[in-house]
Structures are given as C-alpha cells and as structure tokens.
Amino acid sequence: MILISIISLLLSNAVTLRRDMSILFNRIAIIALIYCILHDVTNLSLISKSIGLHGGLLHITNITQIFHVFIFFVSVLILQLTSFFPRKIWVPQYSSLRDLLFNNFSYYKTKIINKMGGHLKIIEYPLILLFIISGAVFLISSSDLISVFLSIELQSYGLYLLSTIYRNSELSTTGGLIYFLLGGLSSCFILLGTSLLYANSGTTNMDGLYIITNLSDIKDNINIWYKPYYINFSLLIFSIGFLFKVSAAPFHFWSPDVYDVIPTIVTTFVAILAKISIFIFLLELVYYTSNYLFDFNWTIGLLISSLLSLIIGTIVGLTQFRIKRLLAYSTISHLGFILLALSISSIESTQAFIFYLMQYSISNLNIFIILIGIGFSLYYYVSDNKEYKELSDKNNSPIQLISQLRGYFYINPVLSLSLTITIFSFVGIPPLVGFFAKQMVLSAALDSGYIFLSLIAILTSVIGGVYYLNIIKEIFFYKPQYKINPLLGNYYGNVYNAKGDVLVKSFAFNYKNIVMSSPMAITISIITLVILLFMFMNKEWLSMGTILVQILFNY
C-alpha cells in the first residue's frame, strides 16, 4: 500500500500545476497510512509466531506488525500538521450547528490562517515521508543483513532530504549537511559490522547468525574453527552504527545541532520516527544473541551507552537556553532508560522497553505539536525584545528560545497546561504515564542486579527535573513580554446563505476570534488526556506489551 501510494503521488506530482496542492497531497498520504493501519490490524490474527518473506529477507511477527501500526499512527499525527491550515476563525454567535450547515462565512483568509505558510507549499514533503516510513517498516521486519542495510539507508536518505527540504533556509541546509555527513559515517560502521559478521559466519541471514551464537555455547567442540568473541566484536561495531543513528551518547554530538537548526515541523519527524524502527530491530537482535556463556558480550556496549546517555543528557541539558537543543538532550537522557531496558533482555525489561518506547514517542510528539501550536498562536502579538526580532529562520521555527515562552500562561492557559502535563510526564511525576514507564524500567534493572545503573538513572531523573521545571517557571511565574500588534485592528467577514448569493450579515472580529485549528487542538487534547489519565485506562496498553513479550520469549 505504501509503495502504491508513493508511485501515485510521484505521478500526480509530475502533472500538477498549483504549488498549494501540498495540503491535498498530505491528506492523500494520511488516507494511505490509515489504510495501512487497517490492513495490519486485520492481519494480526493470521500470524501466530512468524512468517518469512522473499527467501528470508523479511519476517513478520506480531511485534513487527504492532510497531508497523504504531509507526503509521504516529506518522498520521505528524502529517496532520501540514494537512490543515494552522488557524481558524471562531465567532460563537455564528458557529451554531444551523449556521455551519446552512450559511457560508467568508473573510480575507491569507493573512489570518497562514495560507501562504512555507510548510504548506512543499509538495515533496509527504512523498519523502512515505519513503522514510517504508524504510522504517522494512527495517523492523528485516531478517537479513542485506535488507537491514538497505532499509536503514532508505530511511536515512529520506531523513537527510527532509532536513534540507526548506531550500531557502541556510540553517536548515547546514543541519541537513551535518546530518548527512555523520549519518554516512554511522553507515560505515554498520557496513563494517556486516562484512565482519559475513566473513566470520559465512551467512548474511540473521537466523543463521542466531543459530551460530546459540551453538557457540558448546565451547569445546566448536573452538577449532570458530572464535566466539569474534562475532561479539562484530556485533559491537554493528551496534555502534545504530547508536549513532539514534543519537545515544557518546555518539550524540550531531543531534542538538541538527534538531535546533531544522524547521520544527521536520524536527518532529526526525526526533521520533527514526528511533522507533531501529530500537525494535535491536530488540530482536539483543534477544537472540545475548545468551552467551562467555565473559564478554556485545550488549555491554549498550549498557555503557545507557550510562553515558543518562549522565550527558542530564548534565549538558542544564546549560541549554534554546528549547529544541534542550529537547535533544532530554531525548538523549530518555534513550539511557530505553537502552537500559533493552540490554537487560529479561521478560520484565522487554515489557518495560516496549512500553517506554511507545509512551515516550507519543509524549515527545505532543510536546513538538504544542511548540508548533504556540508559534502559530502568537500571530497577533509582537514583542519589544530585540533578541526575538533578530532570530534567524523564525518563520520556520517561531519558538526557539525558552524565554520566548515567558508568561505564555496569560495568553493561552489551556495550551500552557497541556505543555506542563507533558513536561511533568517527562520528569516522571506520578500519576502520569512517564512515571509508570520509568518505574517499570528501574524495577526490571533492580531485579536483574543492575543496582549502580538504577541509582544513576534515579539521580539523573531528579537532576533532569531542574531544566524541565525551568520551562514551567518561565510559563507561569512571569508576566508576558508580548503585546497586541497595534497595526492589526479588526477584521471584517461576511455571512452568506448556503448558495453564496445572498448576504445575510457583515460583522467585525478581532484577535480573540483567531484560534488554533481543530485537528491540531483535538490531537493535543487527546494525547494530553492519555498522559494524564493513563492510570485509569492502562489495562489494554500493558496487556498488549505482556502478550508481545510472551510471544517473543516462547518463540
């Protein structure tokens, strides 16, 4: 379905004339992804254990299918940002059900609803997104070193293009170039690991690799032709490439720079989707190759990376004053928890890993959508602050500094509360969903005897609360620096009958009637309520995690 959609969009892109067709392209991509979700959900019951495809290049299990659905779902939410205008006019006296059905409301749209916004004019955006999603879906299902490399490159090339898609933005091009060069370096590690694995085992099939690692427990008979530590070092080099891609410490140095300079709408996709597919692939790799009797195991590398991510993500985050750089370091800190759960590879830790990955992706998505919403909602306001006026690339990323959120509670209290709930979830304050995720990971780590790492994780969570609370302090404890733009007075609109030929009434409206569009508002509301009320609706989510882990461990 994704491939058919990509071909259709390519063909329609070739024949279209209007540049503002991008909104329609995005909506078509959403419809295609919703079909993909339905397709995967209906096929869930067909697969009990695993099905191999294309001579073992790909394999489908319940875990891969659930995460296909999750990737499609997250992508639909991100595509909403470019599928609808960001603002709408809401005049209560003309917004009854009768008025909406039988009258037409017209006004000068371009200025108000940001019809000419840069993100609504890029036709290629949904097309590149579909390429990245197809790469992510193939990577999750990969069962061969060749398909792993091809999938990760398909996903990565799309992300490089996406980072530089705003052609007029110098910063965006710089960020994309940094991403491309360092992404190329990480691909070299993956290729080197792949070639070493092939040289040692003589097979590119992951199943063959898993059989060899299990046989290598029989030390005495096999040592003549096989050196077990060789495959461990190969897997360690292989995993370094993937740690580069997800920006885990000590390979994190590119992500704060890239996150900060590329437009916020693009950052949303780069920060979330690239990580989900890689972690699900690593989940199966760790599970099948970590049962060694030898002293050295390649998963030690993941534990060291987890420790460094927790420390670096927290300590360096304390000095940040740019919001997207802070979110980049926040992501590195959370990757520490995810890697800790991943490398333990017990039933409890795998369940914690799946839950943490899902809840963090959704919370991260919410915080980026709120940031974009705040940028759009400040349309009617101006600030005397010289620093804000001199921000480069402010059309693509309106909110760049934490201080720009100062006093925002007095402008839009509901959006401020949504942001606060999401931030508290990141900190891990009960009863929000982030608390349960951290508690599950720490419980699994303590059960497996990782006491030192658990203590570091708890300490870094407490220290990390400082920079999150700084954002909340800016929002609630200061007066806003913004004032209504004096150049923008009242706007005028007309209400016509259903046919549009009879004028019913003309009236004026002002900035209070310009509100966030419904799709964005509904998405933020639902995700915030899920984060807030998780305690009352946790059964299905946790049960799904338990079932997936049981299937994996009983396979």
Side-chain angles (χ1 to χ4, degrees):
M1 185 59 203
I2 291 179
L3 293 174
I4 291 166
S5 312
I6 288 172
I7 292 162
S8 309
L9 281 172
L10 272 169
L11 292 172
S12 51
N13 189 4
V15 296
T16 186
L17 290 172
R18 291 172 53 197
R19 291 302 296 172
D20 60 348
M21 294 287 281
S22 173
I23 283 189
L24 301 178
F25 275 62
N26 280 289
R27 290 176 186 176
I28 291 164
I30 285 179
I31 292 166
L33 290 171
I34 288 170
Y35 180 85
C36 290
I37 290 172
L38 293 172
H39 184 271
D40 261 341
V41 168
T42 50
N43 289 340
L44 262 176
S45 57
L46 297 178
I47 296 170
S48 57
K49 287 192 174 177
S50 177
I51 291 178
L53 300 173
H54 305 298
L57 280 178
L58 303 171
H59 73 132
I60 306 296
T61 64
N62 288 120
I63 288 182
T64 62
Q65 279 192 296
I66 288 288
F67 276 93
H68 286 174
V69 171
F70 185 62
I71 280 178
F72 296 143
F73 174 67
V74 169
S75 305
V76 166
L77 296 181
I78 294 171
L79 271 166
Q80 273 192 72
L81 297 170
T82 46
S83 301
F84 303 95
F85 294 121
R87 288 184 284 265
K88 66 175 182 181
I89 303 300
W90 180 259
V91 184
Q93 57 266 41
Y94 298 102
S95 301
S96 67
L97 193 60
R98 187 180 174 283
D99 284 321
L100 292 173
L101 291 173
F102 299 110
N103 290 334
N104 285 326
F105 177 37
S106 73
Y107 52 91
Y108 180 58
K109 291 184 178 182
T110 307
K111 262 183 149 182
I112 298 164
I113 62 173
N114 199 22
K115 190 173 183 180
M116 307 308 287
H119 68 289
L120 300 173
K121 289 160 71 177
I122 301 170
I123 286 182
E124 298 81 7
Y125 179 76
L127 195 56
I128 294 170
L129 244 63
L130 288 177
F131 273 113
I132 298 168
I133 294 163
S134 54
V137 163
F138 289 141
L139 179 61
I140 287 177
S141 307
S142 285
S143 185
D144 195 287
L145 294 170
I146 294 167
S147 59
V148 167
F149 184 71
L150 291 175
S151 307
I152 193 76
E153 287 308 289
L154 177 59
Q155 177 180 300
S156 300
Y157 285 156
L159 290 166
Y160 308 148
L161 287 172
L162 203 61
S163 302
T164 55
I165 200 165
Y166 286 71
R167 300 181 191 90
N168 301 327
S169 165
E170 210 172 296
L171 283 174
S172 173
T173 311
T174 309
L177 201 55
I178 293 169
Y179 194 10
F180 169 64
L181 291 170
L182 292 170
L185 178 63
S186 66
S187 298
C188 292
F189 278 105
I190 294 171
L191 261 184
L192 177 60
T194 302
S195 56
L196 289 173
L197 286 167
Y198 177 65
N200 183 241
S201 60
T203 177
T204 58
N205 196 293
M206 303 296 275
D207 291 340
L209 198 68
Y210 302 151
I211 290 166
I212 290 169
T213 54
N214 283 311
L215 282 175
S216 64
D217 291 348
I218 313 160
K219 285 189 194 179
D220 302 325
N221 303 331
I222 213 164
N223 262 0
I224 305 159
W225 63 272
Y226 173 77
K227 296 287 182 279
Y229 54 81
Y230 191 103
I231 218 161
N232 263 317
F233 281 118
S234 307
L235 282 168
L236 185 62
I237 293 167
F238 191 62
S239 66
I240 285 171
F242 287 104
L243 292 174
F244 237 115
K245 298 274 187 199
V246 296
S247 75
F251 315 107
H252 66 284
F253 40 83
W254 61 268
S255 69
D257 295 331
V258 172
Y259 282 25
D260 193 35
V261 294
I262 59 179
T264 309
I265 284 175
V266 176
T267 313
T268 310
F269 201 81
V270 173
I272 297 167
L273 214 86
K275 295 176 176 49
I276 300 171
S277 55
I278 291 172
F279 274 123
I280 298 306
F281 167 71
L282 285 176
L283 171 66
E284 295 202 351
L285 188 65
V286 169
Y287 171 67
Y288 287 119
T289 59
S290 62
N291 51 346
Y292 272 5
L293 297 175
F294 298 100
D295 298 333
F296 170 74
N297 192 293
W298 72 277
T299 51
I300 292 170
L302 298 181
L303 281 172
I304 293 166
S305 179
S306 165
L307 176 65
L308 291 171
S309 298
L310 286 165
I311 294 167
I312 291 171
T314 305
I315 304 301
V316 186
L318 292 170
T319 62
Q320 302 305 315
F321 60 91
R322 295 180 70 86
I323 191 142
K324 283 197 287 180
R325 285 184 78 88
L326 186 139
L327 288 174
Y329 282 108
S330 153
T331 300
I332 293 163
S333 170
H334 286 281
L335 285 177
F337 276 94
I338 293 172
L339 285 168
L340 177 59
L342 175 67
S343 48
I344 295 167
S345 196
S346 64
I347 289 182
E348 192 186 354
S349 75
T350 309
Q351 190 179 346
F353 167 80
I354 289 172
F355 180 63
Y356 201 109
L357 186 62
M358 289 181 116
Q359 71 82 26
Y360 180 68
S361 301
I362 289 172
S363 301
N364 214 12
L365 173 65
N366 199 36
I367 212 162
F368 276 112
I369 296 176
I370 291 170
L371 273 184
I372 292 163
I374 290 171
F376 286 136
S377 69
L378 292 174
Y379 159 77
Y380 216 90
Y381 295 86
V382 289
S383 173
D384 295 328
N385 192 315
K386 199 175 175 185
E387 191 182 6
Y388 299 168
K389 291 176 183 173
E390 291 172 358
L391 284 173
S392 52
D393 217 21
K394 62 175 183 276
N395 289 335
N396 296 329
S397 301
I399 304 295
Q400 295 180 25
L401 307 173
I402 295 170
S403 58
Q404 281 177 278
L405 299 173
R406 181 164 289 186
Y408 187 73
F409 177 72
Y410 298 97
I411 294 171
N412 191 331
V414 177
L415 206 53
S416 301
L417 287 170
S418 291
L419 181 60
T420 306
I421 289 166
T422 313
I423 287 172
F424 277 150
S425 176
F426 278 171
V427 179
I429 289 176
L432 304 176
V433 67
F435 164 75
F436 294 102
K438 285 188 175 180
Q439 183 253 335
M440 284 169 77
V441 173
L442 291 169
S443 168
L446 288 169
D447 281 357
S448 302
Y450 293 92
I451 295 166
F452 175 70
L453 266 172
S454 303
L455 284 172
I456 294 290
I458 293 164
L459 278 172
T460 50
S461 285
V462 173
I463 298 166
V466 174
Y467 59 70
Y468 289 124
L469 293 172
N470 185 40
I471 301 174
I472 291 165
K473 184 181 80 174
E474 291 282 348
I475 295 171
F476 288 93
F477 291 88
Y478 296 103
K479 288 287 181 188
Q481 297 177 320
Y482 298 99
K483 59 184 183 201
I484 306 298
N485 190 344
L487 300 175
L488 299 176
N490 282 347
Y491 289 106
Y492 293 91
N494 298 318
V495 178
Y496 293 93
N497 67 346
K499 289 183 180 177
D501 53 359
V502 179
L503 179 66
V504 178
K505 187 168 183 179
S506 295
F507 61 92
F509 59 90
N510 60 20
Y511 72 96
K512 291 179 181 173
N513 300 112
I514 301 173
V515 296
M516 193 188 295
S517 65
S518 301
M520 202 186 282
I522 291 166
T523 305
I524 291 171
S525 307
I526 291 171
I527 296 176
T528 307
L529 285 172
V530 167
I531 292 168
L532 184 64
L533 303 175
F534 171 77
M535 195 168 65
F536 302 107
M537 49 183 206
N538 56 10
K539 188 179 175 185
E540 290 76 13
W541 204 345
L542 293 175
S543 301
M544 183 198 71
T546 309
I547 292 163
L548 288 179
V549 173
Q550 292 295 341
I551 290 169
L552 178 67
F553 277 78
N554 292 333
Y555 180 30

